[in-house]
Amino acid sequence: MIRVAAVGDIHMGPDSQGLLRPAFETLPDCADLLLLAGDLTRHGTPREARVVAREVADLPVPVVAVLGNHDHHDEQPERVTAILRDAGVEVLEGEGTVVECAGGTVGIAGAKGFGGGFVGRSAGEFGEPVMKEFVRTTRRSAESLHAALKELDTQGCTARVALTHFSPVADTLAGEPPEIHPFLGSYLLAEAIDTAGADLAVHGHAHLGSEHGMTAGGVRVRNVAQPVIRRAFNVYRLGAA
């Protein structure tokens, strides 16, 4: 059995240093790895990224993350990524990584994702250049997630997890105003997950959403935004080796 701890949208700043560290230090008792589903900072500044880095540095379990929209706000995602990587965090964007656990190997494919909406109520790659680029951004992210999941499939992983910030399904947006659903995720992410295959999909972003959802292909989806799960992290169990 592989135990996956996950949380997103911790939105850390200088005044929150040390808030999550005590809980994170208990991870070896209940989890094999920690996934961070984006929006780790408030405004994406290097100062905030260093707060996050200190919170997770030298944890006794591997830490894998994707960035969120807040982590891009200061237009320094490369610096945020570098600071987190210096602290030992595996930061993914259109890539995969494999973690060895007592219960087997888990492959994590990560991509931030983007908006666009869901089947029947989604944006199309048509019209003004800025609109086409909006949808292309989501499509490219979904394609990179698909490629990473497929690559992990060739590595004989016991289980595969899709880690995003934006949601792949509308289920986990229940509670959010319907008018903003197109800005919270895209069905293209779910299509990538279903066609490539995964055992679990984890995301954040939807603070007023719901924890549980499922893709059309039957993959479990979990919204781990901290305002939703209301704790330092949740733990999900994947099949026995």
Side-chain angles (χ1 to χ4, degrees), residues 82-106:
I83 290 166
L84 295 175
R85 286 179 174 162
D86 285 346
V89 180
E90 185 81 32
V91 183
L92 304 176
E93 181 51 55
E95 304 158 305
T97 190
V98 177
V99 175
E100 298 285 344
C101 306
T105 57
V106 56

Side-chain angles (χ1 to χ4, degrees), residues 28-51:
D29 299 327
C30 59
D32 299 300
L33 69 156
L34 173 64
L35 302 183
L36 300 176
D39 277 8
L40 311 179
T41 65
R42 294 173 186 166
H43 302 100
T45 67
R47 183 184 183 194
E48 292 171 345
R50 284 189 284 271
V51 173

Side-chain angles (χ1 to χ4, degrees), residues 156-168:
C157 297
T158 306
R160 287 177 294 159
V161 179
L163 174 62
T164 63
H165 180 61
F166 286 76
S167 177

Side-chain angles (χ1 to χ4, degrees), residues 111 138-150 160 162 164 168 186-198 215 219:
T138 305
R139 177 170 52 77
R140 286 192 291 261
S141 186
E143 289 171 349
S144 71
L145 181 67
H146 179 274
L149 284 167
K150 291 292 285 184
R160 287 177 294 159
T164 63
S186 169
Y187 77 97
L188 294 175
L189 297 170
E191 284 191 348
I193 292 165
D194 280 342
T195 55
T215 69
V219 177

Side-chain angles (χ1 to χ4, degrees), residues 18-19 35 40 44 52 55-56 60 78 93 104 133 136 141 155 180 186 200 202 205 237-238:
L19 186 64
L35 302 183
L40 311 179
V52 180
E55 209 76 355
V56 298
E78 295 84 4
E93 181 51 55
E133 185 56 28
R136 284 172 185 159
S141 186
Q155 300 184 39
I180 69 169
S186 169
L200 176 69
V202 171
H205 197 40
R237 289 166 174 80
L238 303 178

